[in-house]
Amino acid sequence: MAVYTDVSDGDIAAFAKQYDIGEVTSFKGIAEGVENSNFLLMTTRAPYILTLYEKRVSKRDLPFFLGLMEHLAEAKVPCPTPIRGRDGQVLRELCGRPAAIISFLKGVWPRRISLFHCREVGRALAEMHLKGRDYPLRRSNALSVAGWRTLFTACQSRADEVETGLADTLAGELVLLETNWPADLPAGVIHADLFPDNVFFDGERLTGLIDFYFACDDHFAYDLAVCLNAWCFEHGGEFNVTKARQLLSAYRAVRPFSDSELAALPLLARGAALRFLLTRLYDWLNQVEGAMVKPKDPREYLPKLRFHQRISGPAAYGLA
Amino acid sequence: MAVYTDVSDGDIAAFAKQYDIGEVTSFKGIAEGVENSNFLLMTTRAPYILTLYEKRVSKRDLPFFLGLMEHLAEAKVPCPTPIRGRDGQVLRELCGRPAAIISFLKGVWPRRISLFHCREVGRALAEMHLKGRDYPLRRSNALSVAGWRTLFTACQSRADEVETGLADTLAGELVLLETNWPADLPAGVIHADLFPDNVFFDGERLTGLIDFYFACDDHFAYDLAVCLNAWCFEHGGEFNVTKARQLLSAYRAVRPFSDSELAALPLLARGAALRFLLTRLYDWLNQVEGAMVKPKDPREYLPKLRFHQRISGPAAYGLA
């Protein structure tokens, strides 16, 4: 949960006047999102989300993220869309931070994952991949294989404080992934962080994908790998092959993937596990005194990594 | 800001079915309130607030607080009202905590205090005092003069870590207040914590008082003293006599106070300053590692205490 910047009643009233969204009737910081400050802004017309971009999001990347959301929403991918001000602009400044108002999405993110969640996420992810193809902006994935060694080096000497042998595990895995990472798979705009708290549902209906602030260009199948790790393991760490089958087959029904993508999936899933293991480990070892966000336990990703290391091929994900 | 308990989508859907409030369409933790977990619950009918009472609020006191809100709302004091479930009950349990749904109030709390805010708060406080007179339940003020020595004793040895000489200042003030605290002023139900973040405005119109979880029976004038300290000092610590005059005269126009109440005001204001100084000092010295709420600086209350110590009488508050 996070609200890093206090926005006053006067600030918000003046800010909202730059938009054709009605009069502000309520304004509350919400305990969602880790990187930014988010507020629920209610007006005489509708609810909206106001986001202030804090320092962990690069201002340079904001046009990519906001443009992508607008592009996808126009293409009917369920996601929030940035609201343009009276001047036509989406991005402006509030309390010294870049700020934007985006549309409010109905729905609640699921804490306990059922099969229908996996199916809906697979389908929505494929739609996002297809509809993102004609998005004109590009952003490379700073948190793909080329970025992992920097993170590892920063954590290596203290990794074993978290789990004995962790530094060796990470070192070995990193070399393997650097050596074997595929280069020629179908690629385009991916979400790159499609965890359950970024997907809203109204009952069994997926109402939207949110939080596009890690979106970038990368292999489509890497996005699937991130989702396999985020949606298809139980809390005890066991892989649920039925969930994986639902997710992958729903995806494939919308965007059929090639044999080479399927064959690469175990390696990509190891990479996706290593990526979240490394960023969580970094945040765990570099906790800021008085921080408002409790870092997530990196160890959650160790059994996920081990699962993908052990399997003999993509058949373990339940596809015939 | 605080959300101490995570409530799942399944939990909230099942909980909401116990009420006639429509279908849940959205559910977000909000960054308001220090003692409890608060959620904004949107349904097909209206927005509501769901509160889970965490351990700092005594379960035994909840019928007093919730009953008071219902009583005041029925008497047209602008404040949220608890929503009764299909079984007629207001208080039930969610995620192992006492929980209640209350109505949603429009408005935004003011960060920069203008004269009209003070006037509206004075008027609303007087209305609350009058309308609370026939509320049948009673709750003594655990944080009045009889409770301060316990707090002081717990902080005494470390008070000077916060400000040199603070322990001596507090000791002297405490003896004076214990000796001179009035016993026979008009009394009834008071809010006891009417800070700006507990009062919502829509433009210049006060839309409601919230957070009745310190409400109790005490001198009405003590509630005024709390408000003088909370609303009539500038950020630099200077007393703003114009704001005080607005607050007190707006109050007096609704509920005329006696000469003895006015005469007692400087002493009550010293007591109100000491009360917040002591509780903030206690929280400051007893910070919990990883706590999500940053404690407020107790030193903010030192210049307020000193102001009331130095004045020669209630004329300093701007009343003719």
Side-chain angles (χ1 to χ4, degrees):
Chain A
M1 79 161 96
V3 174
Y4 301 97
T5 304
D6 189 35
V7 179
S8 80
D9 48 322
D11 294 334
I12 187 61
F15 189 78
K17 284 207 173 72
Q18 299 175 275
Y19 296 81
D20 182 26
I21 56 171
E23 298 289 311
V24 174
T25 58
S26 173
F27 180 63
K28 293 185 192 300
I30 55 178
E32 286 186 12
V34 170
E35 310 288 327
N36 303 314
S37 296
N38 289 300
F39 301 87
L40 177 62
L41 175 67
M42 292 168 85
T43 77
T44 44
R45 192 164 312 166
Y48 299 91
I49 299 290
L50 166 69
T51 299
L52 268 63
Y53 299 96
E54 305 289 344
K55 59 176 185 283
R56 281 182 67 150
V57 171
S58 164
K59 192 172 171 175
R60 194 169 35 99
D61 288 330
L62 288 172
F64 176 89
F65 301 139
L66 291 165
L68 176 60
M69 288 157 71
E70 192 169 25
H71 176 90
L72 293 174
E74 276 174 11
K76 308 290 181 214
V77 175
C79 69
T81 187
I83 307 296
R84 292 187 176 274
R86 297 180 195 278
D87 59 359
Q89 295 301 306
V90 153
L91 191 61
R92 61 193 81 234
E93 198 168 281
L94 179 57
C95 300
R97 272 92 178 152
I101 292 178
I102 60 172
S103 61
F104 179 86
L105 275 191
K106 282 187 188 177
V108 179
W109 66 265
R111 272 70 171 180
R112 190 175 303 152
I113 307 306
S114 299
L115 294 181
F116 72 82
H117 293 119
C118 297
R119 198 166 56 232
E120 291 298 302
V121 165
R123 191 198 328 263
L125 186 72
E127 276 168 15
M128 188 210 134
H129 289 170
L130 289 180
K131 300 291 175 55
R133 279 188 154 162
D134 53 352
Y135 182 56
L137 302 187
R138 291 284 166 268
R139 179 176 180 264
S140 66
N141 188 359
L143 290 172
S144 186
V145 62
W148 298 338
R149 184 157 293 280
T150 311
L151 278 169
F152 173 64
T153 307
C155 300
Q156 186 171 16
S157 65
R158 296 182 53 207
D160 283 24
E161 293 174 23
V162 171
E163 175 118 345
T164 309
L166 182 56
D168 284 349
T169 301
L170 296 174
E173 184 67 17
L174 186 50
V175 168
L176 182 139
L177 292 171
E178 286 171 339
T179 311
N180 296 292
W181 198 251
D184 54 359
L185 297 174
V189 183
I190 68 167
H191 185 285
D193 193 41
L194 202 58
F195 280 62
D197 57 345
N198 286 333
V199 184
F200 287 179
F201 287 83
D202 176 9
E204 298 206 0
R205 191 172 63 90
L206 186 153
T207 54
L209 315 177
I210 67 162
D211 203 347
F212 286 80
Y213 303 110
F214 287 97
C216 55
D217 282 272
D218 207 336
H219 308 312
F220 291 135
Y222 178 71
D223 226 3
L224 263 176
V226 170
C227 286
L228 277 180
N229 288 335
W231 292 84
C232 305
F233 285 83
E234 302 303 321
H235 289 302
E238 317 84 0
F239 183 70
N240 185 324
V241 67
T242 314
K243 289 181 176 175
R245 187 187 300 123
Q246 292 284 337
L247 195 151
L248 294 175
S249 46
Y251 182 97
R252 186 159 66 174
V254 177
R255 182 190 158 261
F257 40 71
S258 65
D259 290 347
S260 60
E261 285 181 280
L262 186 59
L265 207 47
L267 192 88
L268 295 172
R270 290 169 70 162
L274 189 75
R275 173 257 188 263
F276 287 98
L277 221 171
L278 284 172
T279 50
R280 289 187 178 188
L281 179 63
Y282 183 88
D283 290 344
W284 191 266
L285 294 174
N286 296 280
Q287 293 183 41
V288 182
E289 179 109 31
M292 289 181 292
V293 175
K294 198 184 167 117
K296 289 176 180 152
D297 192 338
R299 286 168 297 190
E300 184 194 329
Y301 268 78
L302 262 178
K304 298 182 183 188
L305 175 60
R306 292 204 182 106
F307 174 82
H308 301 299
Q309 288 174 333
R310 279 196 214 107
I311 59 174
S312 58
Y317 302 138
L319 292 189
Chain B
M1 80 162 95
V3 174
Y4 300 96
T5 304
D6 189 34
V7 178
S8 79
D9 50 322
D11 294 333
I12 187 59
F15 189 78
K17 284 207 172 71
Q18 300 175 272
Y19 297 82
D20 181 28
I21 57 172
E23 298 289 312
V24 175
T25 57
S26 172
F27 179 65
K28 292 184 193 300
I30 57 178
E32 285 187 12
V34 170
E35 311 288 327
N36 303 314
S37 297
N38 289 300
F39 300 87
L40 178 62
L41 175 68
M42 292 168 85
T43 77
T44 44
R45 193 165 310 166
Y48 298 90
I49 299 290
L50 167 69
T51 299
L52 269 63
Y53 299 97
E54 304 289 345
K55 59 176 186 281
R56 280 181 68 149
V57 171
S58 162
K59 192 173 172 177
R60 194 168 35 100
D61 288 331
L62 289 172
F64 176 89
F65 300 139
L66 292 164
L68 176 62
M69 288 157 72
E70 192 169 25
H71 176 91
L72 293 173
E74 276 174 11
K76 307 289 181 217
V77 175
C79 68
T81 188
I83 307 297
R84 292 187 176 273
R86 297 181 196 277
D87 59 358
Q89 295 302 305
V90 154
L91 191 61
R92 63 193 81 234
E93 198 167 278
L94 180 57
C95 300
R97 272 92 178 152
I101 293 178
I102 60 172
S103 61
F104 180 87
L105 275 190
K106 283 187 184 175
V108 180
W109 67 266
R111 272 70 171 179
R112 191 176 301 153
I113 307 306
S114 298
L115 294 181
F116 72 83
H117 293 118
C118 298
R119 199 165 56 232
E120 291 298 302
V121 165
R123 192 198 327 263
L125 187 71
E127 276 168 15
M128 187 212 135
H129 289 170
L130 289 180
K131 301 291 176 54
R133 280 188 155 163
D134 53 353
Y135 181 57
L137 302 188
R138 294 283 165 268
R139 178 176 180 265
S140 65
N141 187 358
L143 289 172
S144 186
V145 63
W148 298 339
R149 185 157 294 278
T150 311
L151 279 169
F152 173 63
T153 306
C155 300
Q156 186 171 16
S157 65
R158 295 181 54 206
D160 282 25
E161 292 174 22
V162 171
E163 175 118 344
T164 309
L166 182 57
D168 284 349
T169 301
L170 296 174
E173 185 66 18
L174 185 51
V175 167
L176 182 138
L177 291 172
E178 287 171 337
T179 310
N180 297 292
W181 198 251
D184 54 358
L185 296 174
V189 184
I190 69 167
H191 186 286
D193 193 42
L194 202 58
F195 280 62
D197 57 346
N198 287 332
V199 185
F200 288 179
F201 287 84
D202 176 10
E204 299 206 359
R205 190 172 64 90
L206 186 153
T207 54
L209 315 178
I210 66 162
D211 204 347
F212 286 79
Y213 303 109
F214 288 96
C216 55
D217 280 273
D218 207 337
H219 307 314
F220 291 135
Y222 178 71
D223 226 4
L224 264 176
V226 171
C227 286
L228 278 180
N229 288 335
W231 293 84
C232 305
F233 285 83
E234 302 302 322
H235 289 302
E238 318 85 359
F239 184 69
N240 185 323
V241 68
T242 315
K243 289 181 176 174
R245 186 187 300 120
Q246 292 284 337
L247 195 151
L248 294 174
S249 46
Y251 181 97
R252 186 158 66 173
V254 176
R255 181 189 160 262
F257 40 71
S258 65
D259 290 347
S260 59
E261 286 182 278
L262 186 59
L265 207 47
L267 191 87
L268 295 172
R270 290 168 70 163
L274 189 74
R275 173 258 189 262
F276 288 97
L277 222 170
L278 284 172
T279 49
R280 288 187 179 187
L281 180 63
Y282 183 88
D283 290 343
W284 191 267
L285 295 174
N286 296 280
Q287 294 183 40
V288 182
E289 178 106 32
M292 289 182 292
V293 174
K294 200 183 165 118
K296 290 175 178 154
D297 192 338
R299 286 169 297 191
E300 185 194 328
Y301 268 77
L302 262 178
K304 298 183 182 187
L305 175 61
R306 293 205 181 104
F307 174 81
H308 301 299
Q309 288 174 332
R310 279 196 213 105
I311 60 173
S312 57
Y317 302 139
L319 292 190

